[in-house]
Amino acid sequence: DAGVTQSPTHLIKTRGQQVTLRCSPISGHKSVSWYQQVLGQGPQFIFQYYEKEERGRGNFPDRFSARQFPNYSSELNVNALLLGDSALYLCASSRSYGRANETQYFGPGTRLLVL
Amino acid sequence: KNQVEQSPQSLIILEGKNCTLQCNYTVSPFSNLRWYKQDTGRGPVSLTIMTFSENTKSNGRYTATLDADTKQSSLHITASQLSDSASYICVVSQKGSTLGRLYFGRGTQLTVWP
C-alpha cells in the first residue's frame, strides 16, 4: 500500500510569491494534518482537516490556508512568502479525527526554500 | 505552558553500543506520548505510543519508558546500528485535544559511527 505522498519534493520561491503544496493521504484515511518543520526544530502544527472541514488551526498567520478535497487529498497554500517560511512542510494522515491514541502517518515532506 | 524538552540535543555513539534519550514534558492533561524516528529529509515514523497506564513498551531494539508522575520518558536503543542514525522526536498529546494538536520536542540527533 502506498503511504502518504507529497508533491513537490523540493521547491524554490522568492519573497512575495505564492506556493501550493499537495498531499495524498493513505487510502482509507480521512484526516489530514499539516506541519511546518524549521531546520533543527520539531514540527509545528498548522492545520487539521477531516471530512473536508477544518478541525484545528495552529498559531500561523492568515497567509497560510488549506483545503481538503472529496477524495481526502489536501492542499496547503502560503501567500506572500517570507524568508522565514523556508522549512520542511509535512503532511500526516490518520483514519479518523479526535482519537488521541490513533497514529498519524507522515509523508516525506516538501522542502521549501524562499530566497 | 505546555512544552516538551528533549536531551541531549545530539549524541554520537559507536555501532553496537546502547544509548538512552530523554524527554521531559509539561503537557497537561496528558493523553499519550509517542516516539518518532525521522531520517534526514524524510517524514517522522512512529516507533512507540504509550498511554498514562503504560510504563514500558518495546519495538524491536527500541524500548520506551514512561513515568507519568514525574512527566518523564526515555527511549533506549540497544545494539545500535548505522541505520539508527536519525533524529528521534518525542511527541505528547494533550487529553481532550484534537488529534492534530500534538506537542513536539526538538528531537535528539543520533549519529552512529562504525
Side-chain angles (χ1 to χ4, degrees):
Chain A
D1 286 341
V4 178
T5 59
Q6 293 185 242
S7 64
T9 57
H10 296 79
L11 202 52
I12 299 176
K13 292 285 189 178
T14 57
R15 280 178 298 176
Q17 285 189 309
Q18 175 265 340
V19 67
T20 298
L21 311 180
R22 296 176 177 82
C23 170
S24 293
I26 292 171
S27 178
H29 285 195
K30 298 182 178 181
S31 177
V32 169
S33 297
W34 286 95
Y35 295 84
Q36 180 195 65
Q37 187 176 23
V38 174
L39 193 63
Q41 310 240 352
Q44 296 292 316
F45 171 70
I46 309 176
F47 286 110
Q48 183 190 21
Y49 275 78
Y50 178 71
E51 291 283 13
K52 303 180 289 295
E53 291 188 8
E54 181 182 306
R55 299 291 182 149
R57 184 185 184 112
N59 188 25
F60 279 81
D62 292 342
R63 300 185 295 108
F64 289 77
S65 64
R67 56 180 175 170
Q68 187 176 33
F69 299 98
N71 65 355
Y72 303 109
S73 66
S74 178
E75 286 183 350
L76 175 69
N77 295 286
V78 186
N79 294 322
L81 285 167
L82 303 175
L83 296 179
D85 295 331
S86 296
L88 179 68
Y89 287 84
L90 294 166
C91 171
S93 79
S94 58
R95 287 193 181 276
S96 64
Y97 153 80
R99 296 170 61 180
N101 283 2
E102 190 159 353
T103 297
Q104 288 186 317
Y105 296 85
F106 285 85
T110 293
R111 188 163 294 281
L112 172 65
L113 177 62
V114 181
L115 301 177
Chain B
K1 185 178 180 181
N2 293 308
Q3 288 184 316
V4 178
E5 300 287 342
Q6 291 187 243
S7 62
Q9 183 176 2
S10 61
L11 184 62
I12 299 174
I13 61 174
L14 294 177
E15 186 178 13
K17 298 297 185 182
N18 303 336
C19 67
T20 300
L21 314 179
Q22 300 290 343
C23 173
N24 297 334
Y25 62 91
T26 58
V27 179
S28 182
F30 173 85
S31 176
N32 60 68
L33 184 147
R34 298 172 169 88
W35 282 95
Y36 280 90
K37 177 186 178 187
Q38 185 175 22
D39 292 316
T40 301
R42 308 292 296 272
V45 175
S46 178
L47 295 175
T48 64
I49 177 172
M50 287 185 294
T51 59
F52 185 87
S53 59
E54 298 173 300
N55 53 26
T56 301
K57 184 164 281 190
S58 293
N59 178 1
R61 294 180 296 101
Y62 301 101
T63 299
T65 66
L66 173 66
D67 186 334
D69 292 331
T70 62
K71 298 186 177 180
Q72 296 179 326
S73 175
S74 66
L75 180 68
H76 186 74
I77 304 174
T78 57
S80 61
Q81 300 176 359
L82 298 180
S83 59
D84 292 333
S85 296
S87 178
Y88 291 84
I89 304 175
C90 176
V91 184
V92 180
S93 175
Q94 188 178 39
K95 190 174 184 179
S97 68
T98 63
L99 181 62
R101 291 183 182 267
L102 304 175
Y103 294 88
F104 287 77
R106 291 189 174 189
T108 292
Q109 183 64 46
L110 174 66
T111 303
V112 180
W113 282 4

PDB file of all heavy atoms in Angstrom, chain B residues 87-113:
ATOM      1  N   SER B  87      17.039  11.581  13.654  1.00  0.00           N
ATOM      2  CA  SER B  87      16.539  12.428  14.732  1.00  0.00           C
ATOM      3  C   SER B  87      15.395  11.686  15.412  1.00  0.00           C
ATOM      4  O   SER B  87      14.525  11.123  14.737  1.00  0.00           O
ATOM      5  CB  SER B  87      16.054  13.771  14.179  1.00  0.00           C
ATOM      6  OG  SER B  87      15.529  14.570  15.222  1.00  0.00           O
ATOM      7  N   TYR B  88      15.391  11.665  16.737  1.00  0.00           N
ATOM      8  CA  TYR B  88      14.342  10.986  17.493  1.00  0.00           C
ATOM      9  C   TYR B  88      13.514  12.048  18.202  1.00  0.00           C
ATOM     10  O   TYR B  88      14.034  12.826  18.995  1.00  0.00           O
ATOM     11  CB  TYR B  88      14.951   9.992  18.472  1.00  0.00           C
ATOM     12  CG  TYR B  88      15.569   8.827  17.737  1.00  0.00           C
ATOM     13  CD1 TYR B  88      16.862   8.917  17.232  1.00  0.00           C
ATOM     14  CD2 TYR B  88      14.852   7.657  17.510  1.00  0.00           C
ATOM     15  CE1 TYR B  88      17.425   7.870  16.512  1.00  0.00           C
ATOM     16  CE2 TYR B  88      15.408   6.610  16.798  1.00  0.00           C
ATOM     17  CZ  TYR B  88      16.691   6.724  16.303  1.00  0.00           C
ATOM     18  OH  TYR B  88      17.234   5.689  15.585  1.00  0.00           O
ATOM     19  N   ILE B  89      12.234  12.061  17.894  1.00  0.00           N
ATOM     20  CA  ILE B  89      11.349  13.131  18.361  1.00  0.00           C
ATOM     21  C   ILE B  89      10.331  12.571  19.347  1.00  0.00           C
ATOM     22  O   ILE B  89       9.696  11.549  19.086  1.00  0.00           O
ATOM     23  CB  ILE B  89      10.623  13.798  17.180  1.00  0.00           C
ATOM     24  CG1 ILE B  89      11.635  14.312  16.154  1.00  0.00           C
ATOM     25  CG2 ILE B  89       9.751  14.941  17.675  1.00  0.00           C
ATOM     26  CD1 ILE B  89      11.001  14.876  14.908  1.00  0.00           C
ATOM     27  N   CYS B  90      10.197  13.249  20.462  1.00  0.00           N
ATOM     28  CA  CYS B  90       9.207  12.912  21.486  1.00  0.00           C
ATOM     29  C   CYS B  90       7.979  13.792  21.252  1.00  0.00           C
ATOM     30  O   CYS B  90       8.105  15.015  21.093  1.00  0.00           O
ATOM     31  CB  CYS B  90       9.808  13.158  22.868  1.00  0.00           C
ATOM     32  SG  CYS B  90       8.685  12.909  24.246  1.00  0.00           S
ATOM     33  N   VAL B  91       6.807  13.189  21.227  1.00  0.00           N
ATOM     34  CA  VAL B  91       5.574  13.920  20.932  1.00  0.00           C
ATOM     35  C   VAL B  91       4.532  13.597  21.989  1.00  0.00           C
ATOM     36  O   VAL B  91       4.242  12.425  22.247  1.00  0.00           O
ATOM     37  CB  VAL B  91       5.016  13.531  19.542  1.00  0.00           C
ATOM     38  CG1 VAL B  91       3.793  14.377  19.217  1.00  0.00           C
ATOM     39  CG2 VAL B  91       6.082  13.692  18.464  1.00  0.00           C
ATOM     40  N   VAL B  92       3.971  14.607  22.607  1.00  0.00           N
ATOM     41  CA  VAL B  92       2.992  14.410  23.672  1.00  0.00           C
ATOM     42  C   VAL B  92       1.638  14.947  23.220  1.00  0.00           C
ATOM     43  O   VAL B  92       1.542  16.061  22.693  1.00  0.00           O
ATOM     44  CB  VAL B  92       3.432  15.108  24.971  1.00  0.00           C
ATOM     45  CG1 VAL B  92       2.396  14.891  26.072  1.00  0.00           C
ATOM     46  CG2 VAL B  92       4.789  14.582  25.416  1.00  0.00           C
ATOM     47  N   SER B  93       0.607  14.143  23.434  1.00  0.00           N
ATOM     48  CA  SER B  93      -0.754  14.530  23.086  1.00  0.00           C
ATOM     49  C   SER B  93      -1.496  14.961  24.343  1.00  0.00           C
ATOM     50  O   SER B  93      -1.398  14.319  25.386  1.00  0.00           O
ATOM     51  CB  SER B  93      -1.469  13.361  22.426  1.00  0.00           C
ATOM     52  OG  SER B  93      -2.819  13.671  22.180  1.00  0.00           O
ATOM     53  N   GLN B  94      -2.237  16.044  24.216  1.00  0.00           N
ATOM     54  CA  GLN B  94      -2.991  16.570  25.342  1.00  0.00           C
ATOM     55  C   GLN B  94      -4.379  15.970  25.360  1.00  0.00           C
ATOM     56  O   GLN B  94      -5.068  15.921  24.350  1.00  0.00           O
ATOM     57  CB  GLN B  94      -3.065  18.093  25.228  1.00  0.00           C
ATOM     58  CG  GLN B  94      -3.655  18.807  26.422  1.00  0.00           C
ATOM     59  CD  GLN B  94      -3.647  20.308  26.227  1.00  0.00           C
ATOM     60  OE1 GLN B  94      -3.893  20.790  25.134  1.00  0.00           O
ATOM     61  NE2 GLN B  94      -3.363  21.051  27.274  1.00  0.00           N
ATOM     62  N   LYS B  95      -4.826  15.525  26.505  1.00  0.00           N
ATOM     63  CA  LYS B  95      -6.139  14.899  26.633  1.00  0.00           C
ATOM     64  C   LYS B  95      -7.213  15.909  26.292  1.00  0.00           C
ATOM     65  O   LYS B  95      -7.186  17.056  26.757  1.00  0.00           O
ATOM     66  CB  LYS B  95      -6.332  14.394  28.054  1.00  0.00           C
ATOM     67  CG  LYS B  95      -7.561  13.512  28.234  1.00  0.00           C
ATOM     68  CD  LYS B  95      -7.579  12.932  29.644  1.00  0.00           C
ATOM     69  CE  LYS B  95      -8.748  11.978  29.822  1.00  0.00           C
ATOM     70  NZ  LYS B  95      -8.764  11.394  31.196  1.00  0.00           N
ATOM     71  N   GLY B  96      -8.142  15.457  25.451  1.00  0.00           N
ATOM     72  CA  GLY B  96      -9.227  16.343  25.058  1.00  0.00           C
ATOM     73  C   GLY B  96      -8.931  17.191  23.850  1.00  0.00           C
ATOM     74  O   GLY B  96      -9.800  17.862  23.329  1.00  0.00           O
ATOM     75  N   SER B  97      -7.677  17.163  23.380  1.00  0.00           N
ATOM     76  CA  SER B  97      -7.307  17.988  22.236  1.00  0.00           C
ATOM     77  C   SER B  97      -7.622  17.240  20.936  1.00  0.00           C
ATOM     78  O   SER B  97      -7.841  16.047  20.931  1.00  0.00           O
ATOM     79  CB  SER B  97      -5.817  18.317  22.269  1.00  0.00           C
ATOM     80  OG  SER B  97      -5.055  17.149  22.048  1.00  0.00           O
ATOM     81  N   THR B  98      -7.651  17.968  19.863  1.00  0.00           N
ATOM     82  CA  THR B  98      -7.817  17.318  18.567  1.00  0.00           C
ATOM     83  C   THR B  98      -6.555  16.538  18.224  1.00  0.00           C
ATOM     84  O   THR B  98      -5.487  16.801  18.725  1.00  0.00           O
ATOM     85  CB  THR B  98      -8.094  18.346  17.470  1.00  0.00           C
ATOM     86  OG1 THR B  98      -6.952  19.203  17.363  1.00  0.00           O
ATOM     87  CG2 THR B  98      -9.325  19.161  17.801  1.00  0.00           C
ATOM     88  N   LEU B  99      -6.688  15.591  17.369  1.00  0.00           N
ATOM     89  CA  LEU B  99      -5.566  14.726  17.011  1.00  0.00           C
ATOM     90  C   LEU B  99      -4.392  15.534  16.495  1.00  0.00           C
ATOM     91  O   LEU B  99      -3.241  15.204  16.733  1.00  0.00           O
ATOM     92  CB  LEU B  99      -6.009  13.704  15.966  1.00  0.00           C
ATOM     93  CG  LEU B  99      -4.942  12.706  15.519  1.00  0.00           C
ATOM     94  CD1 LEU B  99      -4.482  11.877  16.700  1.00  0.00           C
ATOM     95  CD2 LEU B  99      -5.494  11.823  14.426  1.00  0.00           C
ATOM     96  N   GLY B 100      -4.677  16.590  15.778  1.00  0.00           N
ATOM     97  CA  GLY B 100      -3.585  17.349  15.191  1.00  0.00           C
ATOM     98  C   GLY B 100      -2.812  18.185  16.181  1.00  0.00           C
ATOM     99  O   GLY B 100      -1.716  18.628  15.896  1.00  0.00           O
ATOM    100  N   ARG B 101      -3.363  18.433  17.351  1.00  0.00           N
ATOM    101  CA  ARG B 101      -2.691  19.321  18.296  1.00  0.00           C
ATOM    102  C   ARG B 101      -1.759  18.500  19.183  1.00  0.00           C
ATOM    103  O   ARG B 101      -2.079  18.191  20.313  1.00  0.00           O
ATOM    104  CB  ARG B 101      -3.725  20.062  19.115  1.00  0.00           C
ATOM    105  CG  ARG B 101      -4.495  21.062  18.271  1.00  0.00           C
ATOM    106  CD  ARG B 101      -5.480  21.839  19.109  1.00  0.00           C
ATOM    107  NE  ARG B 101      -6.256  22.762  18.310  1.00  0.00           N
ATOM    108  CZ  ARG B 101      -5.929  24.026  18.119  1.00  0.00           C
ATOM    109  NH1 ARG B 101      -4.850  24.514  18.674  1.00  0.00           N
ATOM    110  NH2 ARG B 101      -6.695  24.804  17.376  1.00  0.00           N
ATOM    111  N   LEU B 102      -0.627  18.188  18.617  1.00  0.00           N
ATOM    112  CA  LEU B 102       0.390  17.443  19.338  1.00  0.00           C
ATOM    113  C   LEU B 102       1.529  18.385  19.688  1.00  0.00           C
ATOM    114  O   LEU B 102       1.795  19.332  18.968  1.00  0.00           O
ATOM    115  CB  LEU B 102       0.920  16.290  18.472  1.00  0.00           C
ATOM    116  CG  LEU B 102      -0.127  15.311  17.951  1.00  0.00           C
ATOM    117  CD1 LEU B 102       0.532  14.296  17.018  1.00  0.00           C
ATOM    118  CD2 LEU B 102      -0.809  14.589  19.099  1.00  0.00           C
ATOM    119  N   TYR B 103       2.203  18.118  20.788  1.00  0.00           N
ATOM    120  CA  TYR B 103       3.333  18.933  21.225  1.00  0.00           C
ATOM    121  C   TYR B 103       4.611  18.155  20.931  1.00  0.00           C
ATOM    122  O   TYR B 103       4.825  17.067  21.478  1.00  0.00           O
ATOM    123  CB  TYR B 103       3.205  19.266  22.703  1.00  0.00           C
ATOM    124  CG  TYR B 103       2.018  20.159  22.995  1.00  0.00           C
ATOM    125  CD1 TYR B 103       0.763  19.607  23.249  1.00  0.00           C
ATOM    126  CD2 TYR B 103       2.148  21.541  22.982  1.00  0.00           C
ATOM    127  CE1 TYR B 103      -0.331  20.424  23.484  1.00  0.00           C
ATOM    128  CE2 TYR B 103       1.056  22.357  23.223  1.00  0.00           C
ATOM    129  CZ  TYR B 103      -0.183  21.793  23.471  1.00  0.00           C
ATOM    130  OH  TYR B 103      -1.257  22.612  23.707  1.00  0.00           O
ATOM    131  N   PHE B 104       5.439  18.745  20.072  1.00  0.00           N
ATOM    132  CA  PHE B 104       6.653  18.076  19.611  1.00  0.00           C
ATOM    133  C   PHE B 104       7.869  18.618  20.350  1.00  0.00           C
ATOM    134  O   PHE B 104       7.997  19.818  20.576  1.00  0.00           O
ATOM    135  CB  PHE B 104       6.875  18.328  18.119  1.00  0.00           C
ATOM    136  CG  PHE B 104       5.931  17.591  17.215  1.00  0.00           C
ATOM    137  CD1 PHE B 104       4.634  18.027  17.039  1.00  0.00           C
ATOM    138  CD2 PHE B 104       6.355  16.466  16.531  1.00  0.00           C
ATOM    139  CE1 PHE B 104       3.761  17.358  16.191  1.00  0.00           C
ATOM    140  CE2 PHE B 104       5.490  15.794  15.675  1.00  0.00           C
ATOM    141  CZ  PHE B 104       4.200  16.247  15.517  1.00  0.00           C
ATOM    142  N   GLY B 105       8.799  17.725  20.694  1.00  0.00           N
ATOM    143  CA  GLY B 105      10.114  18.152  21.138  1.00  0.00           C
ATOM    144  C   GLY B 105      10.956  18.502  19.928  1.00  0.00           C
ATOM    145  O   GLY B 105      10.552  18.270  18.788  1.00  0.00           O
ATOM    146  N   ARG B 106      12.132  19.078  20.180  1.00  0.00           N
ATOM    147  CA  ARG B 106      13.009  19.464  19.079  1.00  0.00           C
ATOM    148  C   ARG B 106      13.782  18.276  18.523  1.00  0.00           C
ATOM    149  O   ARG B 106      14.398  18.375  17.465  1.00  0.00           O
ATOM    150  CB  ARG B 106      13.990  20.536  19.540  1.00  0.00           C
ATOM    151  CG  ARG B 106      13.342  21.855  19.838  1.00  0.00           C
ATOM    152  CD  ARG B 106      14.372  22.931  20.065  1.00  0.00           C
ATOM    153  NE  ARG B 106      13.753  24.237  20.219  1.00  0.00           N
ATOM    154  CZ  ARG B 106      14.430  25.377  20.250  1.00  0.00           C
ATOM    155  NH1 ARG B 106      15.737  25.371  20.138  1.00  0.00           N
ATOM    156  NH2 ARG B 106      13.800  26.513  20.393  1.00  0.00           N
ATOM    157  N   GLY B 107      13.763  17.176  19.244  1.00  0.00           N
ATOM    158  CA  GLY B 107      14.446  15.992  18.758  1.00  0.00           C
ATOM    159  C   GLY B 107      15.859  15.850  19.285  1.00  0.00           C
ATOM    160  O   GLY B 107      16.500  16.829  19.680  1.00  0.00           O
ATOM    161  N   THR B 108      16.340  14.628  19.321  1.00  0.00           N
ATOM    162  CA  THR B 108      17.743  14.307  19.604  1.00  0.00           C
ATOM    163  C   THR B 108      18.339  13.746  18.331  1.00  0.00           C
ATOM    164  O   THR B 108      17.823  12.765  17.785  1.00  0.00           O
ATOM    165  CB  THR B 108      17.880  13.282  20.736  1.00  0.00           C
ATOM    166  OG1 THR B 108      17.461  13.866  21.961  1.00  0.00           O
ATOM    167  CG2 THR B 108      19.317  12.806  20.858  1.00  0.00           C
ATOM    168  N   GLN B 109      19.402  14.370  17.857  1.00  0.00           N
ATOM    169  CA  GLN B 109      20.074  13.908  16.640  1.00  0.00           C
ATOM    170  C   GLN B 109      21.095  12.844  17.023  1.00  0.00           C
ATOM    171  O   GLN B 109      22.097  13.134  17.667  1.00  0.00           O
ATOM    172  CB  GLN B 109      20.756  15.072  15.933  1.00  0.00           C
ATOM    173  CG  GLN B 109      21.415  14.671  14.611  1.00  0.00           C
ATOM    174  CD  GLN B 109      20.409  14.205  13.586  1.00  0.00           C
ATOM    175  OE1 GLN B 109      19.367  14.841  13.376  1.00  0.00           O
ATOM    176  NE2 GLN B 109      20.697  13.085  12.925  1.00  0.00           N
ATOM    177  N   LEU B 110      20.817  11.590  16.652  1.00  0.00           N
ATOM    178  CA  LEU B 110      21.709  10.471  16.964  1.00  0.00           C
ATOM    179  C   LEU B 110      22.551  10.121  15.745  1.00  0.00           C
ATOM    180  O   LEU B 110      22.023   9.948  14.646  1.00  0.00           O
ATOM    181  CB  LEU B 110      20.902   9.249  17.400  1.00  0.00           C
ATOM    182  CG  LEU B 110      21.694   7.965  17.624  1.00  0.00           C
ATOM    183  CD1 LEU B 110      22.640   8.134  18.812  1.00  0.00           C
ATOM    184  CD2 LEU B 110      20.771   6.775  17.841  1.00  0.00           C
ATOM    185  N   THR B 111      23.848  10.012  15.947  1.00  0.00           N
ATOM    186  CA  THR B 111      24.768   9.573  14.900  1.00  0.00           C
ATOM    187  C   THR B 111      25.474   8.326  15.384  1.00  0.00           C
ATOM    188  O   THR B 111      26.064   8.328  16.474  1.00  0.00           O
ATOM    189  CB  THR B 111      25.802  10.655  14.566  1.00  0.00           C
ATOM    190  OG1 THR B 111      25.132  11.856  14.181  1.00  0.00           O
ATOM    191  CG2 THR B 111      26.702  10.198  13.420  1.00  0.00           C
ATOM    192  N   VAL B 112      25.384   7.256  14.605  1.00  0.00           N
ATOM    193  CA  VAL B 112      26.058   6.008  14.935  1.00  0.00           C
ATOM    194  C   VAL B 112      27.242   5.846  14.005  1.00  0.00           C
ATOM    195  O   VAL B 112      27.099   5.816  12.782  1.00  0.00           O
ATOM    196  CB  VAL B 112      25.103   4.809  14.801  1.00  0.00           C
ATOM    197  CG1 VAL B 112      25.834   3.517  15.162  1.00  0.00           C
ATOM    198  CG2 VAL B 112      23.879   4.989  15.690  1.00  0.00           C
ATOM    199  N   TRP B 113      28.434   5.720  14.602  1.00  0.00           N
ATOM    200  CA  TRP B 113      29.662   5.572  13.811  1.00  0.00           C
ATOM    201  C   TRP B 113      30.091   4.113  13.762  1.00  0.00           C
ATOM    202  O   TRP B 113      29.941   3.374  14.729  1.00  0.00           O
ATOM    203  CB  TRP B 113      30.776   6.413  14.433  1.00  0.00           C
ATOM    204  CG  TRP B 113      30.662   7.856  14.121  1.00  0.00           C
ATOM    205  CD1 TRP B 113      29.670   8.492  13.436  1.00  0.00           C
ATOM    206  CD2 TRP B 113      31.596   8.872  14.492  1.00  0.00           C
ATOM    207  NE1 TRP B 113      29.914   9.840  13.363  1.00  0.00           N
ATOM    208  CE2 TRP B 113      31.102  10.109  13.988  1.00  0.00           C
ATOM    209  CE3 TRP B 113      32.795   8.875  15.188  1.00  0.00           C
ATOM    210  CZ2 TRP B 113      31.766  11.312  14.166  1.00  0.00           C
ATOM    211  CZ3 TRP B 113      33.457  10.078  15.354  1.00  0.00           C
ATOM    212  CH2 TRP B 113      32.946  11.276  14.856  1.00  0.00           C
TER     213      TRP B 113
END
